[in-house]
Amino acid sequence: MFDRFFPDEYVASTYIIPFEKLYEEGYRGVIFDIDNTLVPHGAPADERARKLFQRLEKIGFASCLISNNQEARVKMFNQDIQTNYIYNAHKPSTKNYIRAMEIMGTDRENTLFVGDQLFTDVWGAKRAGIHNILVRPIHPKEEIQIILKRYLEKLVLYFYRRKKSGGTDRK
């Protein structure tokens, strides 16, 4: 029942994803959510984010930020990153996931998506046919509408973990 919302992968942090390995596997483009995926909500790009995008460029990845935020927020974050971006993306609509791939010159087979929310980020990437990686939110402080969705996410992730562990109740 909840399978349609299950991420392809679920990891603790964007910053532990083995991007070099993913590049070797044939991925060439990475689409990122910003808030609580790369930095806490509303924060500018920090040193860790800047280093990540330098690393991705060195590896050979194209990248694009895709955010439901307005342009001012996305532009502020991107000031030190200098990558492609799409603001007011209306995730989980697939339109801007597809647009991001067009911008990067990639396709569904060689693009991956990284985000912290199941019902916007992951669901949109799954519907667009993109390999997706769910990460744990960086910071607990979130807008009220996201807090409410997190309760539903906990339920979906409970069943996701059960399936991954072979049906037992282990976490």
Side-chain angles (χ1 to χ4, degrees), residues 5 11 24 35 38 60 71-72 76 94 97-99 117 121:
F5 297 110
V11 299
E24 288 172 15
D35 287 327
L38 294 166
E71 185 174 23
M76 182 265 287
T94 60
Y97 291 84
I98 294 164
R99 186 167 156 231
Q117 291 188 56
D121 298 333

Side-chain angles (χ1 to χ4, degrees), residues 41-54:
H41 271 276
D46 58 16
E47 186 63 24
R48 197 164 59 157
R50 288 190 293 272
K51 285 182 178 178
L52 173 63
F53 281 86
Q54 290 168 356

Side-chain angles (χ1 to χ4, degrees), residues 98-140:
I98 294 164
R99 186 167 156 231
M101 289 185 283
E102 290 169 355
I103 289 168
M104 295 186 300
T106 61
D107 58 37
R108 287 171 170 85
E109 286 75 39
N110 66 5
T111 303
L112 58 104
F113 176 85
V114 180
D116 71 297
Q117 291 188 56
L118 280 177
F119 302 121
T120 51
D121 298 333
V122 169
W123 179 228
K126 287 181 78 73
R127 291 176 54 232
I130 302 169
H131 183 82
N132 56 84
I133 303 172
L134 177 68
V135 296
R136 287 194 185 116
I138 288 176
H139 195 274

Side-chain angles (χ1 to χ4, degrees), residues 24-82:
E24 288 172 15
E25 292 174 5
Y27 291 100
R28 295 297 180 261
V30 187
I31 303 170
F32 288 98
D33 172 54
I34 299 170
D35 287 327
N36 252 352
T37 297
L38 294 166
V39 293
H41 271 276
D46 58 16
E47 186 63 24
R48 197 164 59 157
R50 288 190 293 272
K51 285 182 178 178
L52 173 63
F53 281 86
Q54 290 168 356
R55 177 176 151 216
L56 292 170
E57 188 175 340
K58 187 176 178 181
I59 294 168
F61 272 109
S63 62
C64 187
L65 305 171
I66 180 172
S67 175
N68 286 348
N69 280 301
Q70 297 302 309
E71 185 174 23
R73 163 66 183 126
V74 180
K75 194 173 185 178
M76 182 265 287
F77 174 83
N78 194 44
Q79 187 174 357
D80 291 337
I81 301 296
Q82 294 298 305

Side-chain angles (χ1 to χ4, degrees), residues 161-169:
R161 287 185 186 103
R162 260 183 77 115
K163 183 176 181 179
K164 286 289 190 188
S165 68
T168 63
D169 286 333

